Amino acid sequence: MDDREMRATALLDEVTRGLVPDAASTARLVAGGTARGRTLRRRRQAGTAFAAAAVLAVVGVAAGLSSAPGGGARGVDVPAVDSPEPAPPGTRRVGFDIEKGAAVLESLLPAGDVTRADSWGADGERPRRGARLLLDGGRVSMMLGRAAPAVGGVEERCRALAGADCARLDDGSWLAAVGGDPDGDTVRDLTIVHLVTPDGWILQISAGVGTAGSRPVLGEAELTRIATDPVWFDEQQ
Amino acid sequence: MTTAGQLGEFEEFARARAPHLLRSAWLLCGDRHLAEDLVQETLAKVYVRWHRRLGGRIENPAAYAQTALVRTFISGRRRRSSGELPYADVPDAAGDDHAPASELRLALAAALDGLTPLDRAVLVLRYLEDLSVAETADRLGASPGAVRTRSSRALDRIRPLLDQELVGTQEEQ
């Protein structure tokens, strides 16, 4: 390793050292990973059972079937990579055009100085929308897209996404707020509200610090109000 | 069936390894929120492998998790490029970190912004994990030559920051 490479190692170590999570954040990461792992395991077991049944139906043999374990490599056990899955069809369409994302988000915010508004997204088979802006210097962002298909219900999908318990809403959607205080009175540096709908949409609204010295401008209650606003979907579909 | 012992062992491993995985994930994603999402997805895959009945124990769980992290990142980027993942497309911004990011961190994130996912993966494995070219190539399923090329490209990208570091070191001396 030459001098430049050693300096690169030192730089990466220094820059990321401050990112080490505290005990509570580590516990949240582990809980989220474990919850997703359980979901993934069940999904794979269900997929394996389905594949085995299909093969048995065609070939008519009941023995000698085994799945290839993990694609090992030299020295290190190498994990398999999931292949992309097609998203399930939705019953509602997105209620606004790609370029309107930031404007829609802004329309739901309290009055304030909005700067650096940006929208992006895609249409077609897997539509998605995204927007972000600064409100009085605080960061607010929105992401909307199709949920990947999964074994399990909407609640399980929500829990896996948020890494936290979700609450059921009247319309059958499930929602979780992560990062903020439970009573919604106090905002922290980053709060995210995750919403998963019965027809397969994921909507995330987040608020955090933006410009230097700024504070998050929205708490859990406001983020929840925004996430559950009907503006995001075309209810006529 | 998953025993309490297995779950305890996995959680113990995950708690010990998550902080390091998060550091790598941030270098890959350039964003705290996305990095945490990547770590959770990685831990989920390790969980599945950990509790698999066939195939025996993971020989080197830390290496397995690190490789899962970079492969999941690369795979996720491919999926996003085809419009698959809806919630991981937020470009980096100062406001995404839980704590105010240092100027150096922001500068590094900006410098890495134009790199391909594979270049970032090589950077992490070579210079944060301190793996050799051969080990990095093995983990990524790439040739040693490709790893050298990507390493050089990544280093070129962060050269201004390295030079700044060098200046700082010299002044201190």
Side-chain angles (χ1 to χ4, degrees):
Chain A
M1 185 173 282
D2 62 25
D3 176 63
R4 188 171 68 143
E5 291 177 312
M6 284 191 288
R7 278 187 280 128
T9 295
L11 172 67
L12 300 190
D13 179 68
E14 178 186 341
V15 166
T16 60
R17 200 179 305 146
L19 293 165
V20 173
D22 59 20
S25 298
T26 300
R28 181 170 53 81
L29 283 175
V30 173
T34 302
R36 290 191 195 189
R38 289 195 185 102
T39 301
L40 186 59
R41 188 164 180 246
R42 279 195 289 271
R43 193 169 69 185
R44 287 184 176 176
Q45 286 173 335
T48 301
F50 176 80
V55 170
L56 285 171
V58 172
V59 180
V61 294
L65 299 177
S66 63
S67 58
R74 300 175 300 279
V76 174
D77 197 4
V78 176
V81 174
D82 282 348
S83 58
E85 299 175 72
T91 57
R92 292 177 296 177
R93 291 195 310 189
V94 181
F96 56 96
D97 295 333
I98 295 170
E99 65 275 12
K100 301 290 188 185
V104 172
L105 179 61
E106 182 179 349
S107 71
L108 299 172
L109 299 178
D113 182 24
V114 172
T115 56
R116 292 174 55 185
D118 187 22
S119 306
W120 67 94
D123 284 315
E125 185 182 353
R126 298 186 180 94
R128 54 193 165 131
R129 299 287 188 271
R132 66 176 181 180
L133 52 81
L134 295 178
L135 175 63
D136 294 333
R139 168 82 184 276
V140 182
S141 66
M142 173 278 296
M143 288 166 283
L144 172 66
R146 298 296 306 174
V151 171
V154 181
E155 179 188 12
E156 191 169 16
R157 188 177 294 169
C158 178
R159 193 187 309 125
L161 176 69
D165 288 338
C166 299
R168 188 180 188 282
L169 306 182
D170 291 341
D171 69 350
S173 298
W174 289 79
L175 179 144
V178 177
D181 285 344
D183 60 8
D185 289 333
T186 306
V187 289
R188 292 182 178 174
D189 287 345
L190 178 68
T191 302
I192 308 169
V193 165
H194 308 263
L195 179 74
V196 181
T197 72
D199 57 348
W201 289 102
I202 288 174
L203 176 62
Q204 292 179 309
I205 308 291
S206 67
V209 295
T211 55
S214 69
R215 294 277 301 153
V217 291
L218 302 174
E220 282 184 20
E222 290 162 304
L223 292 171
T224 298
R225 174 186 58 77
I226 293 170
T228 54
D229 193 284
V231 73
W232 303 113
F233 302 105
D234 184 350
E235 301 286 350
Q236 301 306 311
Q237 298 302 310
Chain B
M1 177 181 291
T2 300
T3 66
Q6 278 181 309
L7 187 61
E9 286 178 8
F10 171 77
E11 289 193 343
E12 187 178 341
F13 164 79
R15 282 177 187 272
R17 204 61 197 164
H20 188 82
L21 290 173
L22 186 63
R23 295 173 71 178
S24 296
W26 184 88
L27 285 173
L28 293 169
C29 303
D31 173 291
R32 177 79 179 226
H33 178 206
L34 298 183
E36 291 190 351
D37 189 66
L38 177 60
V39 169
Q40 290 192 16
E41 192 173 352
T42 299
L43 290 176
K45 290 181 177 179
V46 177
Y47 175 94
V48 171
R49 175 63 184 82
W50 194 287
H51 296 90
R52 202 167 65 192
R53 293 173 195 151
L54 300 176
R57 296 172 69 91
I58 304 174
E59 188 175 336
N60 185 341
Y64 183 92
Q66 189 68 30
T67 306
L69 184 87
V70 294
R71 289 192 168 207
T72 300
F73 168 73
I74 293 167
S75 171
R77 283 299 169 110
R78 288 193 185 120
R79 275 182 286 174
R80 279 204 297 284
S81 68
S82 64
E84 173 71 15
L85 277 183
Y87 52 83
D89 284 319
V90 180
D92 184 30
D96 278 337
D97 277 359
H98 287 245
S102 70
E103 287 186 16
L104 184 59
R105 196 184 305 159
L106 292 175
L108 180 62
L112 297 178
D113 198 36
L115 287 176
T116 67
L118 262 176
D119 288 348
R120 283 178 177 248
V122 167
L123 185 79
V124 167
L125 293 177
R126 287 279 288 125
Y127 304 118
L128 187 66
E129 293 301 306
D130 209 17
L131 297 183
S132 68
V133 169
E135 289 169 323
T136 302
D138 192 37
R139 295 276 186 94
L140 295 174
S143 70
V147 169
R148 288 193 191 90
T149 300
R150 293 183 182 281
S151 297
S152 178
R153 188 157 53 213
L155 289 178
D156 284 345
R157 181 72 66 162
I158 64 173
R159 177 182 293 168
L161 297 174
L162 298 178
D163 291 343
Q164 284 178 18
E165 290 296 294
L166 180 62
V167 169
T169 303
Q170 288 172 335
E171 285 174 348
E172 287 175 9
Q173 291 171 347

